[in-house]
Amino acid sequence: MSAVYPPTPVDPEALRRALAEAVGEDGYSLALVDRVAASRDYWPPATLWMLEGRLVALPAAVVWPRTVDEVAAVLRTCAALGVPVTPFGEGSGAVGGAVPVRGGVVLDTKRMNAVRRVDRSNLLVEVEAGCNGERLERRLGAERLTLGHVPQSLRCSTVGGWISCRAAGQASTRYGKIEDIVVALEGVLPTGEPFRSPLAPRTATGPRIDHLLVGAEGTLGVITAAHLRVWPLPETRYLQSWVFDNEERGLEAVRRTLQAGGRPAVVRLYDHFESSRHFGRKGWVLVTVVEGDPLLAEAEARLLKGNCESQKGWSLGEGPVRTWMVHRFDVSLASPLFRQGAVLDTIEVACLWDRAQDMYREMVGALGEVAGTALASGHFSHFYPEGACLYVTVVGFPGEDRSSYHARAWEAAMEACLGVGGSIGHHHGAGLQRVPWLEREHGALHGALGRVRRALDPAGIMNPGKLGV
Amino acid sequence: MRRPPASLLDCAICPNLCRCDCPVTAATAREVHSPSQKARLAHLLASGALPVDADTVEPLYACAGCGACTELCPFTGFELAPALREARAGGPHPAGVAAALDTLEATGSPFGLAPLPEDEIFESPDALYFAGCAERAFAPETAAAAVSLMRQAGWTVARVPSREVCCGHALRCLGSPGPVAPGLWDLVAVLSPSRVVVGCPECYRELAGAGLEVEVEPALRVVRRLHREGRLRLTPLGPGEVTYHDPCGWTRLTDLGRDPLELLEAVGLQVRLPRRHGRQTDCCGAGDLLAVHSPTVARQVARRRLAALGGPTVVTSCARCRQALREAGAADVHDLLELVAGGGEDG
Ligand SMILES: Cc1cc2nc3c(=O)[nH]c(=O)nc-3n(C[C@H](O)[C@H](O)[C@H](O)COP(=O)(O)OP(=O)(O)OC[C@H]3O[C@@H](n4cnc5c(N)ncnc54)[C@H](O)[C@@H]3O)c2cc1C
Ligand code: SF4
Ligand code: SF4
C-alpha cells in the first residue's frame, strides 16, 4: 500500500512574495532540501518512504517565524491564498501529525525557542513553543528546578509538539501529562488572531477555548508560547523494584498506592517478554522512582513498598531501576530493525483498572496473530487513581509489503482496544494513523470537533487531513 | 558523490536523539541541518531519490565536526561528522566550498596563507613541529610559542617547511579527499625526529592516524609534560581569572584531560569553566571549515558560544576557536600556549 498525497496547487512565485512579506527574506525557504526535511516525522510509514527512496508529501515552502506577529502574518497570508499550513516542531511525532499531506506551507516553530522567564515565586516557566525539551530542562536545572516532564523524546521534541499531542513524560504519574502542566497559552488562531489565555491557576469564566489547542495537533491554530508549572529539583529519591508472578498482582499493588493518594514519579510494570529482555527476569518487573520532598517521599516509598509486599512482590532493589535509567532515552533498536526489513511500532492506549488485564491480553494477542509479527509485548506506565496507560511494542518481518503489514497491525490493535473499551490513544496523538477509529472513539463529539474546526478555521488551512477533521 | 557508509542509514532512521546538542541546528533552526536529517539527505541523494547538485548537497556541509552528536548517540562507534565528510566526497561543491578549494589549490591553505616563518630543518631534532593551515593563517605566534617553550626546556625543534601544509583534513572537509601531508613522510624519513608535534586538534587526529613511523603528540601535552618533569619553568602570570573554552577537538575528539587547566593553574591563573565544558563543551562553529564555506552559519554558532562563555578574559587552545570567538566579537581572547609562554598580550 503506497501512500499518495496530492499537494494543494500553489503558485510558487505568489507564495514566495507573500512569505517574504510575512517573515522577511531569511524567514522562509522554497529550497528542495528544506521541503524534503519537513516532509516526515517519526511515523513508521514515513521511515518506509525514505527506505524506498520515495519523496512523499512535500510541502511547497518552509517558513520559520520568530514572533507571534510573524506567525499571525503567515496564517493570514495562507488563509488569503488558501494554502494549507502544517506546524512542525522537531518531527518526533509518532503518528504522522507533522507530515504535510496536502502540501502548502510547513510552519517550523524552532526559531521561537526562548525561555522567556523563570518565575520562582509562582513556580512557572514561560517558554516559546519551539524550545527543545532537553534545552529547557537544562535551563531549569541550572536554577535547581524541573518541569517533571521527561518524555523519552525529551532530546528531540519541542514544547509546542508536546502540548499539541497531549504528551506524557516518564514521570507523569507524579507530575501529570502535559495538559496538567500547562497553565496558560499564547498562540495564533487560524484566522491570524493572536491570543493569550489568562494567567491564573484556574478560571471559571466559561469554557477554556485555549484548551482546545491542547491536543489539537496543529488543526486549530499555532501555539507560540506557554506558561508551564515547574517544581524544585527533588531532594530525595527512592529507587525500588519488584518482580510479580503475574500482572494482576503488580497492577493491584500500584492501584492501591495510587488510590491511597501516593504519586510515585516513575511506575513501569513490564510483561514477561520485556522483563526478560530488559532485566533478565522471569515474571512482571515493576520499576519505580519515588521523589520529592524528603518527608512526603519517604511516606510514599513506604506506602508503595507495603502494597508491593502485600501482593507478594519480590524485591529486586535498585538494580533494575538503574538499568532503566541508563537506557531511558535509548531507542537504537529501531534503526537496525528497519534496515533489516522489519517494521517496529509502539501503540499506547488508556483504560480503567478493571479492564487493564483484558486490554493487555487482547492487544498483545491480536498483534501476535497478525501475519508477519515476530514479537508483541507491552508494559503499563503512566498511572492514575482510575487506571493506566498500556504501551505495546510490535515488531514484524512481513517480507515485501511493509506498509500494509503496518496498517494490518494497527487495525488489529485498534479493534482489540475498542473491543475492551478505553481510549485508543494515551499520548502520541492521532495524527494520520488513528483517523479511521476516531469516530468510534468520540461518537457525536467527533462531528462536533469538525464544526468547531470549521468555525475557527473558515479557510480550512490548518493541518488538513489530521484528526479526521 | 560517493555512497555513504551503511551506518549512516541507522542515523537517517534515528529520531534525531542528539539534535539538542548540535550547534549548527541550534544556530540555524533549519530542520535539514539537524543530524539525522543530514544523514537522511545523504541517503536520499545516494539512492537517486534526489538530484545531486550544488544546492542539494549544501546541508551535508552544515556540520562543524564537533562530535557533540556522538556524545548522545546510542550507536557505539558511529560518528556522524566523518560519515558526512565521506558522503561529500567527489562533489559537486556548493559555491562557498568551491571557492575554498580554489584558495587551497592556489595557496596550500583554505584560509590563504599568511607570510611564513622561515623553515628550520635539521636532522634528529627532539621534535618536528607541524603547524596546520589555521595556525599559519591566524596564529603564527602560537606556533612560535609552542616551539619556544619546547626549546626553553632544552629540546631541539625543527619546523616543517611551508609546502607540507595540508594534513588532509581540509581536503576531506571540502569533499575532495587527498593524501595526508604528502611531503611529511619523506621529511620524517630524512630528518628522523624523535616525534612530530602539532598544535591543531584536527592535524593531530589526521597525523596520529596516518601511520607515520614516529610518535605524533599534541603541543599542549608535550609542554605540560616538560613542565611536570621540571624541565620547563613558567613565569607566573596570576593572580587573575580566565574563562577556558574547551575546543571540541581537544576534549571530545582527542582527550587532553586536565593538561590545559593544569598549565593555566601552573602560571597562577584561576580558571573559570563555563556551564558547558569538558566533553559537554559547546562548539565555536569553526570546525570542519564551516567558517570558511558557510561564514554566516559559523558566526551564528560562535555568537551563541561567546554569550554562554561569560567572563571577560577567554583562553582557548585552538587557533580556529580563537579566531571564531574574535570574529564573533570577543575582545579579550588568548591562546593558552602563547599566554603561558609570556606572549599572551592580545589586541
Ligand atoms: C524516540 C521517541 C520517543 C517518544 N517518547 C514519547 C514519550 O515518552 N511521551 C510522549 O508523549 N511522546 C513520545 N514520543 C512522541 C513525540 O515525541 C511527541 O508526540 C512529541 O510531543 C512531539 O513533539 P515534536 O516537537 O517533535 O512535534 P512534531 O512531531 O513536530 O509535531 C507533532 C504534532 O504537533 C503539531 N505541532 C507541533 N508544534 C506545534 C505548535 N507550536 N502549535 C501547533 N501545533 C504544533 C504538529 O503539526 C503535529 O501535528 C516519542 C517519540 C519518539 C520518536
Ligand atoms: S548521530 Fe546518532 S543520535 Fe544523532 S541522529 Fe545520528 S544516529 Fe541519532
Ligand atoms: S558533529 Fe557537531 S555540528 Fe556536526 S552534526 Fe554532530 S553535533 Fe552537529
Side-chain angles (χ1 to χ4, degrees):
Chain A
M1 193 183 75
S2 41
V4 180
Y5 298 110
T8 307
V10 291
D11 170 357
E13 227 2 84
L15 188 63
R16 180 196 296 279
R17 279 196 304 275
L19 293 178
E21 195 163 315
V23 290
E25 282 300 340
D26 65 345
Y28 72 97
S29 168
L30 269 64
L32 183 58
V33 288
D34 288 310
R35 293 159 52 215
V36 168
S39 69
R40 59 111 230 186
D41 64 5
Y42 201 61
W43 189 35
T47 298
L48 295 177
W49 301 336
M50 176 193 67
L51 292 172
E52 292 158 7
R54 295 172 58 218
L55 301 178
V56 178
L58 289 196
V62 178
V63 57
W64 300 281
R66 281 154 290 219
T67 61
V68 66
D69 290 341
E70 287 191 350
V71 173
V74 171
L75 297 196
R76 279 196 303 269
T77 294
C78 289
L81 295 174
V83 171
V85 178
T86 303
F88 192 103
E90 292 194 330
S92 71
V95 287
V99 179
V101 286
R102 305 271 166 81
V105 168
V106 162
L107 187 153
D108 187 321
T109 61
K110 290 193 284 291
R111 285 192 187 161
M112 299 182 288
N113 58 28
V115 178
R116 288 185 188 161
R117 193 163 103 90
V118 178
D119 174 350
R120 293 199 67 95
S121 61
N122 298 305
L123 283 186
L124 290 173
V125 61
E126 185 184 12
V127 56
E128 293 182 348
C131 184
N132 169 278
E134 170 76 14
R135 285 183 169 255
L136 172 60
E137 195 57 22
R138 276 190 205 149
R139 171 73 208 289
L140 292 170
E143 307 212 19
R144 302 209 51 75
L145 296 170
T146 177
L147 199 60
H149 179 77
V150 187
Q152 194 185 32
S153 54
L154 183 76
R155 294 169 179 166
C156 57
S157 58
T158 63
V159 169
W162 299 340
I163 300 173
S164 300
C165 295
R166 299 180 87 91
Q170 292 167 336
S172 76
T173 302
R174 173 175 179 77
Y175 299 98
K177 285 180 79 203
I178 197 72
E179 60 263 35
D180 307 309
I181 298 170
V182 171
V183 175
L185 288 182
E186 174 197 279
V188 181
L189 295 174
T191 41
E193 294 157 83
F195 70 86
R196 282 181 85 96
S197 41
L199 187 54
R202 286 291 187 278
T203 59
T205 47
R208 289 286 295 258
I209 301 294
D210 56 341
H211 285 189
L212 283 173
L213 271 79
V214 179
E217 302 183 25
T219 61
L220 299 178
V222 177
I223 297 163
T224 54
H227 277 84
L228 305 175
R229 179 185 292 162
V230 298
W231 296 85
L233 276 184
E235 283 177 50
T236 312
R237 248 191 195 152
Y238 291 87
L239 313 183
Q240 307 181 91
S241 68
W242 293 269
V243 62
F244 297 88
D245 287 344
N246 54 45
E247 74 271 34
E248 187 179 1
R249 288 184 181 280
L251 286 168
E252 183 59 12
V254 182
R255 184 181 71 86
R256 288 187 186 188
T257 305
L258 269 285
Q259 291 185 344
R263 291 291 179 276
V266 177
V267 190
R268 304 173 72 85
L269 180 62
Y270 294 91
D271 74 1
H272 38 278
F273 294 114
E274 297 189 1
S275 294
S276 137
R277 192 163 78 232
H278 299 317
F279 313 110
R281 288 281 171 177
K282 285 198 178 116
W284 285 63
V285 170
L286 177 68
V287 164
T288 69
V289 178
V290 170
E291 64 183 28
D293 173 86
L295 271 177
L296 296 173
E298 189 194 345
E300 285 188 343
R302 279 171 46 192
L303 173 70
L304 178 63
K305 184 165 182 273
N307 285 328
C308 288
E309 284 171 358
S310 78
Q311 292 304 312
K312 303 204 164 43
W314 178 264
S315 171
L316 300 177
E318 294 192 354
V321 194
R322 295 207 178 276
T323 303
W324 172 76
M325 283 175 143
V326 169
H327 296 288
R328 65 189 296 188
F329 298 121
D330 181 350
V331 283
S332 55
L333 197 65
S335 289
L337 281 172
F338 271 105
R339 201 160 35 77
Q340 291 157 21
V343 177
L344 178 147
D345 207 350
T346 57
I347 304 172
E348 21 62 61
V349 300
C351 65
L352 300 176
W353 289 112
D354 58 9
R355 299 179 184 186
Q357 284 171 255
D358 287 347
M359 189 65 92
Y360 169 78
R361 263 195 294 272
E362 291 300 318
M363 281 190 67
V364 168
L367 282 166
E369 278 168 23
V370 177
T373 295
L375 173 98
S377 64
H379 60 261
F380 291 95
S381 49
H382 315 285
F383 289 87
Y384 307 87
E386 54 281 345
C389 160
L390 170 66
Y391 189 99
V392 178
T393 299
V394 59
V395 179
F397 279 93
E400 275 309 289
D401 193 351
R402 291 202 259 178
S403 300
S404 81
Y405 166 78
H406 183 257
R408 280 185 284 119
W410 267 86
E411 171 94 32
M414 293 292 94
E415 289 301 329
C417 175
L418 286 163
V420 176
S423 171
I424 58 168
H426 178 263
H427 58 260
H428 284 167
L432 293 167
Q433 183 61 61
R434 287 191 164 96
V435 168
W437 299 278
L438 289 177
E439 223 171 304
R440 280 160 72 193
E441 164 103 352
H442 292 298
L445 293 178
H446 188 60
L449 182 65
R451 292 196 291 280
V452 168
R453 190 244 156 97
R454 284 190 287 282
L456 289 179
D457 182 11
I461 56 165
M462 290 308 307
N463 209 356
K466 310 302 162 53
L467 282 183
V469 291
Chain B
M1 68 174 278
R2 281 193 204 149
R3 182 156 271 281
S7 51
L8 202 70
L9 191 52
D10 283 339
C11 181
I13 300 169
C14 171
N16 244 328
L17 293 169
C18 60
R19 69 180 303 151
C20 54
D21 276 352
C22 174
V24 174
T25 314
T28 70
R30 276 175 72 185
E31 179 64 19
V32 71
H33 284 171
S34 65
S36 164
Q37 290 271 13
K38 287 182 277 209
R40 177 170 172 260
L41 178 68
H43 173 77
L44 290 171
L45 289 167
S47 65
L50 276 173
V52 178
D53 59 41
D55 290 332
T56 55
V57 300
E58 177 274 331
L60 303 182
Y61 288 83
C63 171
C66 70
C69 47
T70 313
E71 289 296 303
L72 295 180
C73 183
F75 297 103
T76 319
F78 175 68
E79 287 184 69
L80 178 55
L84 287 174
R85 283 177 218 132
E86 219 174 299
R88 296 169 203 158
H93 300 116
V97 174
L101 277 170
D102 288 346
T103 313
L104 197 149
E105 199 172 317
T107 66
S109 155
F111 305 103
L113 272 184
L116 290 163
E118 281 184 19
D119 303 341
E120 294 174 79
I121 310 177
F122 47 86
E123 282 182 28
S124 308
D126 292 311
L128 176 62
Y129 191 81
F130 181 99
C133 56
E135 243 174 312
R136 285 169 184 256
F138 314 123
E141 329 80 53
T142 302
V147 169
S148 146
L149 285 164
M150 287 186 280
R151 286 183 181 156
Q152 281 172 46
W155 275 14
T156 53
V157 186
R159 300 174 63 130
V160 173
S162 53
R163 64 183 179 281
E164 320 303 344
V165 283
C166 187
C167 71
H169 183 71
L171 284 166
R172 215 189 289 283
C173 291
L174 297 174
S176 200
V180 172
L184 189 61
W185 302 75
D186 288 345
L187 207 62
V188 166
V190 173
L191 300 185
S192 301
S194 305
R195 58 189 63 74
V196 170
V197 175
V198 290
C200 161
E202 303 300 0
C203 296
Y204 172 71
R205 289 233 297 176
E206 291 290 345
L207 298 186
L212 281 172
E213 279 177 4
V214 63
E215 192 184 0
V216 181
E217 284 196 273
L220 228 147
R221 185 179 289 163
V222 168
V223 170
R224 175 67 191 126
R225 190 173 66 237
L226 292 172
H227 177 255
R228 198 183 287 130
E229 288 168 356
R231 301 175 60 175
L232 175 65
R233 289 200 36 231
L234 297 172
T235 318
L237 293 171
E241 191 188 76
V242 295
T243 301
Y244 184 64
H245 164 71
D246 269 310
C248 309
W250 283 142
T251 55
R252 270 200 287 262
L253 308 176
T254 300
D255 190 0
L256 279 188
R258 279 191 51 80
D259 284 353
L261 305 183
E262 285 172 5
L263 272 174
L264 289 170
E265 284 158 8
V267 294
L269 291 171
Q270 216 181 336
V271 185
R272 207 191 125 262
L273 291 172
R275 182 131 50 91
R276 305 217 58 183
H277 63 267
R279 292 192 74 89
Q280 267 63 53
T281 190
D282 222 352
C283 179
C284 70
D288 275 19
L289 297 187
L290 190 70
V292 177
H293 57 72
S294 309
T296 318
V297 175
R299 194 77 50 85
Q300 282 169 285
V301 177
R303 286 209 194 99
R304 290 175 70 97
R305 179 56 174 164
L306 185 59
L309 281 175
T313 305
V314 176
V315 176
T316 188
S317 48
C318 160
R320 286 165 308 150
C321 292
R322 184 175 69 167
Q323 185 67 10
L325 294 172
R326 271 186 186 166
E327 287 177 3
D332 194 18
V333 49
H334 304 260
D335 177 83
L336 196 155
L337 286 184
E338 266 181 65
L339 196 68
V340 300
E345 287 310 309
D346 189 79

